[in-house]
Amino acid sequence: MELSAFLFKGIVMDSKLTYTKKEAGMYLTGLFGQNLIYNVVSTGLYFYFQNVICLPAVALGWIFAIARIWDAVNDPMMGSIVDKTKSKWGKCKPYLLFSPIVICVITCLCFINGSYAEQKIAGNSTAMIFIVAWAAVSYILWGMCYTAGDVPLWGVISRMSEVQKDRANLIALARIVASVAAGLGVVTIVMFSQAANKALGESENAQKGFIVVGFAMTIVASFLFEFAGLGVKERVPNSVESKSMKESFALMWNCKPFRRLMISGILRAPLQLMTMVVMTLFSYYYCGGDLTNAFSDLKILITVVIIGGSFFIGQFGANALCPVLMKKLDVKTIYNATGICAIPLALLFVTYLIAPTELAKIGWVVIDGVLLLFAGAGFGAVYVCQSVMISDCIDYEEYHSNYRPDGVFFSGQSFIQKFSTGIASIISAYVYAAVGYSDINIEKMNQAIANGASFASDYTGYSKAMWFLLTIPPAIGMAIAVIPTLKYEITSKNHEQMLNELIERHSKIEK
């Protein structure tokens, strides 16, 4: 059986109610590109700001926090704009056609910056202020532009099909593709940049390689992103009524199941610390500050494969398994079960406390790999279920009020992620500041590690802070996030009844 037939098995492909294989393929290609851009920034740019140009920890934390919290507010605004859009293509597609080029330009501008550490050594306070200001302004602008593509990209799924099974399948595939893009983005942006620096005769954490690779990956990813706009077709009719931005915000809060989902997502905010911390910890603790060491050291390569691969295998497995489980269980049951994944996350920190300088030994690598496998499964299941539940909430709202808030409700997904990143940025900033992992100290550490120092043994304060951030706050977030959704109102049975009624209503509108 060919891959496309396997991926889309069971989907009603030739119906006017749902998408074709070609549309789904182009959508997923675009989503891959868009998520690659996101991870170039969320992981690559964060590493670049923190460990290459060495911005102060508190300044970096507040730059990311302010930008993300503003984005979180901006997302529902963008969702409201999308819902009001009327064009010959639909209300999501126009933004998917024109946002990739703007996002490409702004992403590249984020990497054009000076070195804060070098200017601090030189005592140039004016240049230091300018570098921080450029980082802040470029990153905030990036977030605003990214929102213009992100909200309609996820919102369009609920408009491509009126068949619940097909939506769930596409969402699951979208999450798998997003996870692949995340994995590539997390590893390649830093590894390729360090390799490029060596090719250019620079140190592994010099700027030139990050700028070259950041530009190249952004341009390729933006080209792929464009496929979504070119390929999607919107089938679900627009609501006749339109709502003001104030009414849209009220709509998000007044829809009880959606409100529960939003609160749950905010409580899970510390989970974003994993994406912010993992690349720095992985690079320094396991690879001696240089990911390219994996190419020359078999032990490091095995460690990279086990540690990194276990998490992503767990994530991919959950992405693929969720649609199957949803045929037998309510989606809220699967979502709430992810709270159990707090246990392997907490146990990861326990392994560090037991053997703080020995986790690179193969025995501990295997143990942590198993724990990360289960943690990754929870990570993957959360986001598949969240997207499906948001889509269900859109149907719920249309069923009860005859207004379909695709843009506004899917902006809630972006709101959760970005607001969570803002909170995580503040947490990490003050933890790093408390242990002194900031600006000139990072530059000194880079030089010491290049001269043979060990991050695990010689920088235990930094190491412990990173292991803590990677595990304990995310574990707490996973555990408490299921509390609001224990009484989530939408079940598989009542949703199927709602969807059948909506299809009947839409058929009358078309006639």
Side-chain angles (χ1 to χ4, degrees):
M1 183 182 293
E2 63 182 58
L3 180 60
S4 61
F6 172 76
L7 290 177
F8 300 111
K9 183 180 180 181
I11 293 178
V12 185
M13 284 298 172
D14 296 321
S15 169
K16 66 179 181 180
L17 298 178
T18 197
Y19 50 83
T20 64
K21 291 181 182 179
K22 180 180 179 181
E23 289 171 32
M26 293 188 73
Y27 171 81
L28 293 171
T29 301
L31 184 130
F32 176 85
Q34 187 250 16
N35 275 269
L36 189 58
I37 294 172
Y38 180 81
N39 286 283
V40 163
V41 172
S42 65
T43 300
L45 187 66
Y46 188 88
F47 186 94
Y48 177 74
F49 280 170
Q50 181 183 59
N51 301 294
V52 179
I53 67 173
C54 302
L55 294 180
V58 173
L60 176 60
W62 279 104
I63 287 171
F64 270 69
I66 292 171
R68 285 321 206 181
I69 291 171
W70 163 242
D71 279 348
V73 175
N74 188 41
D75 282 344
M77 295 168 62
M78 184 64 204
S80 179
I81 292 171
V82 169
D83 281 334
K84 288 183 177 182
T85 299
K86 295 180 180 179
S87 75
K88 63 181 181 180
W89 298 306
K91 63 182 183 180
C92 294
K93 182 166 180 167
Y95 302 98
L96 299 179
L97 285 169
F98 302 116
S99 62
I101 184 64
V102 179
I103 294 171
C104 179
V105 173
I106 299 298
T107 305
C108 291
L109 289 177
C110 289
F111 283 91
I112 303 176
N113 215 321
S115 172
Y116 184 92
E118 290 180 3
Q119 297 303 325
K120 186 170 184 177
I121 293 171
N124 192 340
S125 58
T126 301
M128 289 159 59
I129 293 171
F130 179 80
I131 289 169
V132 172
W134 181 278
V137 171
S138 62
Y139 183 67
I140 291 170
L141 284 175
W142 176 85
M144 294 174 66
C145 295
Y146 187 83
T147 294
D150 188 49
V151 171
L153 183 66
W154 286 100
V156 78
I157 292 179
S158 68
R159 302 189 56 75
M160 291 172 66
S161 176
E162 294 191 277
V163 180
Q164 170 62 9
K165 179 180 66 176
D166 293 357
R167 284 188 197 168
N169 285 341
L170 187 57
I171 287 171
L173 288 169
R175 284 301 176 188
I176 291 173
V177 169
S179 297
V180 172
L184 289 174
V186 165
V187 176
T188 57
I189 178 65
V190 177
M191 181 180 286
F192 287 173
S193 297
Q194 290 175 336
N197 277 321
K198 287 185 176 181
L200 293 168
E202 304 282 341
S203 66
E204 62 267 16
N205 287 327
Q207 284 183 264
K208 288 183 181 179
F210 279 85
I211 292 172
V212 170
V213 173
F215 274 40
M217 288 184 67
T218 297
I219 291 169
V220 171
S222 299
F223 172 76
L224 295 175
F225 186 8
E226 194 68 53
F227 278 74
L230 295 173
V232 300
K233 179 180 179 181
E234 299 182 27
R235 289 172 173 78
V236 178
N238 289 339
S239 301
V240 176
E241 178 188 4
S242 63
K243 293 187 180 293
S244 67
M245 206 163 289
K246 181 179 179 180
E247 289 172 326
S248 295
F249 275 92
L251 189 70
M252 295 174 73
W253 182 253
N254 291 332
C255 180
K256 191 177 290 186
F258 186 74
R259 182 170 72 235
R260 293 185 190 279
L261 200 56
M262 293 285 285
I263 295 172
S264 173
I266 292 170
L267 290 175
R268 203 174 49 248
L271 198 63
Q272 294 300 321
L273 283 165
M274 295 182 71
T275 58
M276 298 175 67
V277 175
V278 66
M279 197 67 261
T280 300
L281 176 60
F282 200 87
S283 176
Y284 286 111
Y285 192 94
Y286 292 108
C287 302
D290 184 359
L291 286 173
T292 61
N293 287 333
F295 296 130
S296 57
D297 190 317
L298 181 60
K299 181 182 177 182
I300 294 177
L301 179 61
I302 292 172
T303 299
V304 169
V305 171
I306 293 175
I307 294 292
S310 296
F311 183 84
F312 286 109
I313 288 171
Q315 192 173 357
F316 298 153
N319 291 158
L321 187 60
C322 277
V324 178
L325 292 176
M326 287 174 195
K327 295 176 182 177
K328 300 182 181 296
L329 299 171
D330 283 343
V331 64
K332 80 166 186 178
T333 302
I334 304 170
Y335 183 87
N336 291 335
T338 61
I340 299 172
C341 293
I343 296 173
L345 282 171
L347 288 176
L348 279 169
F349 190 63
V350 173
T351 65
Y352 173 80
L353 294 177
I354 294 171
T357 63
E358 299 178 359
L359 294 185
K361 292 184 177 179
I362 190 63
W364 287 111
V365 168
V366 172
I367 292 171
D368 284 351
V370 172
L371 293 174
L372 283 166
L373 179 72
F374 288 103
F379 198 91
V382 158
Y383 290 112
V384 171
C385 292
Q386 178 180 278
S387 296
V388 171
M389 291 163 83
I390 290 174
S391 183
D392 292 351
C393 287
I394 293 170
D395 294 329
Y396 178 94
E397 185 61 32
E398 185 183 13
Y399 179 81
H400 287 284
S401 70
N402 209 34
Y403 178 75
R404 188 170 184 85
D406 303 274
V408 169
F409 275 23
F410 263 103
S411 74
Q413 180 169 270
S414 298
F415 174 93
I416 291 169
Q417 186 172 22
K418 293 174 182 178
F419 189 82
S420 297
T421 303
I423 294 173
S425 298
I426 295 172
I427 294 171
S428 64
Y430 284 98
V431 171
Y432 282 140
V435 298
Y437 190 78
S438 182
D439 58 81
I440 193 70
N441 291 338
I442 298 175
E443 179 68 16
K444 291 178 179 178
M445 182 195 71
N446 285 335
Q447 293 175 1
I449 290 175
N451 291 324
S454 167
F455 181 78
S457 302
D458 299 321
Y459 293 93
T460 54
Y462 296 169
S463 175
K464 187 174 185 177
M466 290 181 192
W467 277 104
F468 171 80
L469 288 170
L470 185 75
T471 57
I472 299 303
I476 294 171
M478 288 290 281
I480 65 175
V482 302
I483 296 173
T485 52
L486 291 175
K487 295 185 178 181
Y488 182 77
E489 287 79 3
I490 303 175
T491 65
S492 297
K493 184 177 180 179
N494 64 28
H495 180 253
E496 185 177 358
Q497 293 172 346
M498 286 188 288
L499 203 56
N500 289 335
E501 170 64 24
L502 290 175
I503 291 172
E504 186 176 342
R505 290 186 201 176
H506 296 161
S507 65
K508 292 178 180 178
I509 291 173
E510 290 175 354
K511 290 177 181 178

